[in-house]
């Protein structure tokens, strides 16, 4: 088991510097343009694919880093460049994690490569869980999956929302309810292969931030997928549902649902994204404070500014420590006995909102304009406290874990 350490090894440092260079040289120069266009930055994704950053091999190497620091390190550097473009590059990863968390080895080998495509034909994937009436309340999910035994097919009907890459993806991973009476324990995840009839894109959302990332509804109308597209297989599903029904009357063994398994695996990574955005805003504010003069001296000479920067840096480093701890625990098989994954996501996302707001304040009127990137960073940071579990949900998870009580 790898010991927890804050010291990156030479290979990790090399990867970090490589990603930082890509973020500085390719992502940042394109950030303002694609934010204004509110379109998927395909040229940047393709450039990332050419360099090997947007690829299954790269993410697999980081995912299986024995220290657990590969993914958070990569997320921080890419999101330091720009959150919207970075999410377009890494958004496929959420669908990939959904397959890794719930799929068989055969399903992992078959579908994850198709999510990325290749250098000459770049593809993206989408993870579809949230619905118009089921965001934080996953038990309210209305999308249904019904098994057609005669044809060994699953029939999916429903509407998903807030899906990153929804409708433009090559592969969609869809969470649906098999047994509504079991609530979230009656859910399962399905692969919807490319060009499957009945899957269409609904509304594309015009967002406050991360505008270079495509977010849309996904509509499923009698979508038929082969039985082999049920992640984990039917035997495993039947066993899990039987166990859930047996435990339904009283407490007992906790059965994780498909969406939660994905989110638990990805929350520290989202925390790392938030750290990247916060760090970028802090660095902009620090440089501005050192060069901007008022009353004959740099504004950083004033305690009111200097103390803000001190707090910003302290909060960023604390957030990174929580993210790295959770990532290390997940990789080394240590249980989140105190909801450490949710802690990391909660603190890092709240830090990003606060730090980017402070950066605007330090830049004053300039910070409020689009001539400076902190305005965009502040808009982008708002999403971290919302997607993949709001801050309120993280606090609920933490409180329930610490108390053992069904806090509502």
């Amino acid at each position: 088991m790898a010991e927890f350490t804050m010291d990156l090894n030479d290979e990790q440092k090399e990867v970090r510097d490589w990603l930082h260079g890509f973020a500085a040289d390719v992502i940042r120069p394109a950030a303002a343009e694609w934010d204004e266009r509110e379109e998927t930055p395909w040229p940047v994704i393709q450039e990332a694919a050419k360099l090997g950053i947007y690829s299954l091999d790269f993410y697999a190497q980081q995912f299986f880093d024995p220290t657990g620091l590969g993914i958070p390190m990569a997320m921080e550097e890419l999101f330091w460049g720009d959150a919207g473009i970075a999410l377009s590059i890494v958004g496929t990863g959420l669908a990939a994690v959904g397959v890794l968390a719930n799929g068989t080895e055969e399903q992992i080998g078959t579908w994850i490569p198709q999510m990325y495509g290749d250098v000459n034909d770049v593809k993206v994937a989408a993870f579809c869980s949230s619905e118009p009436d089921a965001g934080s309340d996953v038990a309210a999910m209305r999308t249904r999956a019904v098994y057609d035994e005669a044809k060994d097919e699953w029939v999916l009907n429903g509407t998903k929302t807030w899906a990153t890459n929804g409708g433009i993806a090559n592969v969609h991973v869809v969470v649906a309810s098999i047994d509504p009476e079991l609530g979230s324990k009656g859910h399962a995840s399905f692969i919807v292969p490319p060009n499957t009839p009945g899957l269409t894109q609904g509304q594309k959302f015009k967002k406050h931030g991360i505008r270079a990332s495509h977010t849309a509804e996904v509509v499923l109308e009698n979508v038929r997928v082969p039985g082999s597209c049920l992640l984990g297989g039917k035997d495993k599903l039947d066993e899990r549902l039987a166990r859930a029904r047996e435990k339904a009357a009283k407490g007992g063994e906790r059965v994780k649902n498909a969406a939660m398994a994905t989110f638990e695996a990805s929350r520290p990574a989202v925390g790392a994204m938030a750290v990247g955005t916060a760090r970028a805003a802090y660095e902009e504010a620090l440089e501005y404070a050192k060069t901007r003069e008022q009353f004959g001296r740099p504004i950083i000479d004033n305690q009111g500014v200097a103390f803000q920067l001190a707090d910003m840096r302290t909060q960023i480093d604390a957030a990174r420590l929580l993210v790295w701890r959770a990532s290390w625990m997940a990789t080394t098989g240590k249980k989140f006995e105190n909801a450490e994954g949710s802690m990391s996501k909660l603190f890092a996302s709240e830090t990003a909102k606060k730090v980017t707001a402070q950066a605007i304040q330090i830049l004053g009127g300039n910070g409020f304009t689009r001539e400076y990137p902190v305005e965009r960073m502040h808009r982008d940071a708002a999403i971290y406290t919302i997607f993949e579990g709001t801050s309120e949900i993280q606090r609920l998870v933490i409180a329930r874990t610490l108390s053992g009580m069904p806090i509502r």
Side-chain angles (χ1 to χ4, degrees):
M1 179 183 295
E3 294 296 326
F4 181 71
T5 176
M6 292 295 293
D7 293 326
L8 300 178
N9 60 41
D10 290 343
E11 183 178 350
Q12 290 170 325
K13 290 177 182 177
E14 184 178 345
V15 172
R16 179 198 61 192
D17 294 344
W18 173 49
L19 291 172
H20 187 80
F22 177 78
D25 298 339
V26 180
I27 294 179
R28 281 207 166 179
E33 175 189 351
W34 291 99
D35 177 72
E36 290 286 345
R37 291 176 63 168
E38 299 191 54
E39 297 175 358
T40 301
W42 290 107
V44 182
I45 298 175
Q46 187 159 32
E47 187 65 23
K50 288 179 181 177
L51 296 175
I53 295 172
Y54 185 77
S55 71
L56 172 60
D57 288 344
F58 173 73
Y59 288 107
Q61 289 173 13
Q62 304 315 309
F63 185 84
F64 292 111
D65 180 334
T67 70
L69 303 185
I71 289 294
M73 180 186 64
M75 295 301 104
E76 180 177 337
E77 294 305 326
L78 292 173
F79 280 73
W80 172 89
D82 176 70
I85 291 178
L87 190 57
S88 288
I89 294 173
V90 308
T92 292
L94 185 59
V97 168
V99 176
L100 285 169
N102 301 294
T104 64
E105 290 187 8
E106 182 178 357
Q107 289 169 330
I108 291 169
T110 298
W111 295 110
I112 293 183
Q114 294 187 49
M115 294 179 175
Y116 290 93
D118 56 46
V119 174
N120 298 316
D121 188 19
V122 172
K123 304 292 186 183
V124 295
F127 183 74
C128 307
S129 176
S130 294
E131 298 183 1
D133 297 317
S136 298
D137 183 10
V138 294
M141 188 174 293
R142 294 182 179 179
T143 297
R144 298 287 181 261
V146 178
Y147 185 56
D148 184 341
E149 189 172 359
K151 296 184 178 180
D152 185 27
E153 292 180 340
W154 289 90
V155 185
L156 308 180
N157 281 282
T159 298
K160 294 296 182 179
T161 193
W162 311 121
T164 298
N165 298 330
I168 66 170
N170 193 47
V171 175
H172 290 76
V173 178
V174 176
V175 182
S177 176
I178 307 294
D179 187 340
E181 293 184 1
L182 294 176
S184 61
K185 296 178 181 179
H187 296 173
S189 290
F190 298 86
I191 293 286
V192 180
N195 303 314
T196 298
L199 185 149
T200 57
Q201 178 183 309
Q203 176 187 5
K204 177 186 175 183
F205 296 104
K206 297 181 74 67
K207 305 188 299 294
H208 175 66
I210 55 166
R211 301 198 302 192
S213 174
H214 176 97
T215 310
E217 290 181 329
V218 173
V219 180
L220 304 137
E221 295 181 310
N222 293 321
V223 172
R224 286 183 168 267
V225 300
S228 60
C229 287
L230 167 64
L231 290 180
K234 194 168 186 303
D235 290 343
K236 183 177 178 181
L237 172 67
D238 289 342
E239 291 175 7
R240 179 165 60 81
L241 292 179
R243 191 164 66 248
R245 292 178 185 121
E246 185 179 340
K247 301 290 181 180
K250 285 188 175 182
E253 179 183 356
R254 182 175 176 235
V255 181
K256 294 180 181 178
N257 68 75
M260 289 302 101
T262 299
F263 291 145
E264 284 185 14
S266 63
R267 275 173 179 160
V270 175
M273 298 173 189
V275 170
T277 299
R279 189 183 113 211
Y282 158 76
E283 291 176 1
E284 290 285 339
L286 176 63
E287 184 61 28
Y288 186 89
K290 289 160 65 176
T291 58
R292 171 70 167 172
E293 291 191 0
Q294 289 288 279
F295 306 106
R297 61 181 183 176
I299 62 173
I300 200 171
D301 281 357
N302 300 301
Q303 285 187 1
V305 174
F307 284 8
Q308 282 194 75
L309 289 162
D311 286 343
M312 292 159 74
R313 177 59 186 265
T314 300
Q315 291 158 1
I316 291 167
D317 281 13
R320 184 184 297 109
L321 276 168
L322 286 171
V323 167
W324 282 22
R325 180 185 70 168
S327 300
W328 172 77
M329 290 177 68
T331 297
T332 55
K334 292 186 177 295
K335 292 182 179 179
F336 289 163
E337 294 182 352
N338 297 301
E340 288 87 352
S342 290
M343 284 183 185
S344 70
K345 200 266 186 185
L346 170 65
F347 190 81
S349 59
E350 293 290 345
T351 293
K353 281 186 68 174
K354 184 175 181 179
V355 166
T356 54
Q358 288 176 302
I360 289 177
Q361 194 69 23
I362 290 171
L363 269 67
N366 286 329
F368 199 65
T369 71
R370 295 188 184 182
E371 297 301 314
Y372 289 78
V374 293
E375 177 271 340
R376 184 179 68 251
M377 293 169 183
H378 185 51
R379 287 189 285 107
D380 292 340
I383 194 60
Y384 299 128
T385 62
I386 297 172
F387 72 175
E388 294 197 49
T390 64
S391 288
E392 291 75 20
I393 289 296
Q394 305 308 319
R395 291 185 176 98
L396 186 64
V397 170
I398 296 166
R400 285 176 173 174
T401 303
L402 297 178
S403 68
M405 301 295 289
I407 298 168
R408 298 181 183 276

